[in-house]
Amino acid sequence: MSLLPLKELIEQCMNCTKCPLHNVRNNVVFGEGNLRSKIMFVGEGPGRDEDLQGRPFVGKAGQLLNKMLEAINLKREDVYIANIVKCRPPNNRVPLQSEVDACLPYLRNQVAIIAPKIIVCLGATAAKAIIDKDFKITAMRGQWFEKKGVKIIATYHPAALLRDPEKKYPAWEDFKSIRDELDRCNQ
């Protein structure tokens, strides 16, 4: 897929039938935020609330993400937020590799349009799709990688923090590192 302008990319994504998820979605969850942001957050895929509203990170995990952003002096409007897959997998299961593969060209096009300096992978699925297919979130979160001049880090998905509050401290350490890297980008 060659790079498309944003309007065409959104239209193509909204009409996508590349994988079976289009049969069970209420809405495509394309992504949203500041198109000129230096930082992009990428999650796994839409949950129930996101599928109903057509917006990323609007449920409980999204509310926690908003608080985490505020803790490092960012507002949701300052960043761009997207997901690996644009349609909700049934029962919030992890997306199949075929579903990830079908959606990755959309995400790559989004990254090309936004041109972030930093990408934050929220959770293992995003990290495996963006950093390395063998990525282990518990062992490798908080480490910085670089691809094509973009700094990339993975941390726990906010939903994981809701399930296991003991992960909040390491995630906070990651977010402080993200804040420091963003400060360096802004100098």
Side-chain angles (χ1 to χ4, degrees):
M1 180 172 116
S2 60
L3 290 180
L4 298 173
L6 184 62
K7 186 177 178 187
E8 290 175 40
L9 180 65
I10 292 170
E11 186 177 312
Q12 194 172 87
C13 197
M14 294 298 168
N15 295 307
C16 181
T17 58
K18 291 181 185 177
C19 80
L21 291 181
H22 79 276
N23 292 315
V24 294
R25 71 180 177 224
N26 287 301
N27 286 293
V28 171
V29 181
F30 181 76
E32 67 181 28
N34 182 344
L35 296 175
R36 292 188 185 94
S37 182
K38 290 183 180 171
I39 187 166
M40 185 172 181
F41 290 81
V42 181
E44 175 176 293
R48 185 182 62 82
D49 294 327
E50 292 76 13
D51 180 47
L52 291 172
Q53 294 185 41
R55 296 181 59 219
F57 285 89
V58 293
K60 287 181 179 155
Q63 292 165 14
L64 180 55
L65 178 61
N66 292 345
K67 289 177 184 172
M68 294 165 76
L69 291 171
E70 289 169 14
I72 60 168
N73 301 316
L74 288 172
K75 295 186 202 101
R76 189 178 170 105
E77 305 82 54
D78 297 330
V79 305
Y80 193 86
I81 304 172
N83 282 304
I84 295 296
V85 297
K86 310 302 185 193
C87 300
R88 179 183 182 213
N91 302 312
N92 288 349
R93 67 159 166 72
V94 173
L96 303 175
Q97 189 60 49
S98 59
E99 295 160 353
V100 170
D101 293 344
C103 265
L104 268 180
Y106 297 130
L107 181 64
R108 287 188 184 113
N109 201 144
Q110 284 175 292
V111 170
I113 289 168
I114 306 302
K117 301 285 184 209
I118 298 170
I119 295 176
V120 179
C121 299
L122 298 169
T125 299
K128 286 178 181 184
I130 294 171
I131 299 171
D132 184 292
K133 65 179 177 56
D134 297 319
F135 195 92
K136 305 283 187 246
I137 193 73
T138 303
M140 300 168 75
R141 54 135 283 279
Q143 297 176 34
W144 285 98
F145 300 85
E146 189 169 330
K147 287 188 175 185
K148 298 180 181 176
V150 178
K151 297 281 193 145
I152 306 169
I153 190 171
T155 189
Y156 293 117
H157 192 287
L161 304 180
L162 293 171
R163 289 190 301 271
D164 183 358
E166 290 192 16
K167 292 181 173 153
K168 286 184 178 180
Y169 179 76
W172 170 236
E173 292 299 310
D174 297 342
F175 265 72
K176 289 191 294 187
S177 180
I178 293 162
R179 177 194 60 206
D180 294 345
E181 188 61 38
L182 189 57
D183 287 345
R184 282 190 283 281
C185 288
N186 287 329
Q187 292 176 351

